[in-house]
Amino acid sequence: MNESRLLLLIVETPSDVVAGMSDWMLSLQLLVLLGVANGTPIFAKKLLQGRFSTPLDGGLTLPDGQPLFGASKTVRGVVLSVACTMGAASLLHMGWIIGVTIAAMSMLGDLLSSFIKRRLHLPPHAQAFGLDQIPEALLPLLAVKRRLDLTSGDIAVLVIAFIVLELVLSRILFRLEIRDRPY
């Protein structure tokens, strides 16, 4: 290896390491925000129990005899998810707009999942692997893709990481009696 090439390698390596670290840090921040957005309604239910638990769909039943979303999708959950994720994004120096976007789109993904599960006549709280996790992570990541310069590969890795973390943390929260079910 010639001297100029060695010097170039030494000079360029630190910036590559920093770039890789910032990507890693951004991924961690996004996973934290997804966790806050999706975890807040669970903790709110445990802490507030029946208080402020107005169903988001107002109890509307569609012609198929199923509710629009179901009683477990509450105004409380959506409002607190957005507020807490907005605060978390600000604390992580990502800006409150990112937090609002992540939470709103994550809640939209959760509502979409519930809507589909009701149309499939699955009972409330039924587990539907993939359908329970993918929209909640994919929609918010797609919504911030351009702003955070995420690639499709970044999004795929983050969705997979979210699924794994959600499955593990759900079981832990169930054992701690914070969740009603281990999924």
Side-chain angles (χ1 to χ4, degrees):
M1 183 179 295
N2 64 33
E3 292 170 13
S4 63
R5 191 168 178 157
L6 180 60
L7 182 60
L8 188 60
L9 181 64
I10 292 169
V11 171
E12 286 187 2
T13 300
S15 65
D16 291 344
V17 170
V18 171
M21 185 178 286
S22 70
D23 291 345
W24 177 82
M25 190 58 117
L26 177 60
S27 295
L28 182 61
Q29 289 171 311
L30 288 169
L31 287 171
V32 166
L33 293 180
L34 288 170
V36 171
N38 289 286
T40 296
I42 295 165
F43 283 98
K45 179 182 177 187
K46 183 67 173 177
L47 293 172
L48 298 173
Q49 306 204 347
R51 293 184 295 260
F52 314 111
S53 61
T54 304
L56 201 57
D57 64 9
L60 177 67
T61 300
L62 295 183
D64 64 359
Q66 297 294 313
L68 180 61
F69 302 123
S72 65
K73 304 304 171 194
T74 65
V75 174
R76 170 190 69 202
V78 172
V79 169
L80 289 176
S81 175
V82 171
C84 290
T85 310
M86 179 177 67
S90 294
L91 289 173
L92 293 171
H93 305 288
M94 296 184 75
W96 65 271
I97 290 285
I98 294 290
V100 169
T101 303
I102 295 280
M105 296 306 290
S106 189
M107 292 295 96
L108 181 63
D110 188 41
L111 292 173
L112 177 63
S113 296
S114 289
F115 178 82
I116 292 169
K117 287 166 67 174
R118 298 300 79 81
R119 304 301 63 82
L120 295 172
H121 298 282
L122 296 175
H125 307 292
Q127 185 177 19
F129 180 74
L131 182 57
D132 287 330
Q133 298 88 14
I134 293 171
E136 299 173 9
L138 182 59
L139 291 181
L141 292 171
L142 289 173
V144 298
K145 178 182 180 180
R146 180 179 276 169
R147 179 171 232 145
L148 299 178
D149 199 28
L150 299 173
T151 67
S152 297
D154 295 333
I155 291 172
V157 168
L158 286 166
V159 169
I160 292 167
F162 176 80
I163 292 170
V164 171
L165 286 170
E166 195 271 338
L167 293 172
V168 170
L169 291 175
S170 288
R171 281 156 181 75
I172 292 169
L173 293 175
F174 175 71
R175 287 189 184 137
L176 294 173
E177 298 181 357
I178 295 170
R179 282 195 76 123
D180 297 336
R181 289 162 195 77
Y183 49 84

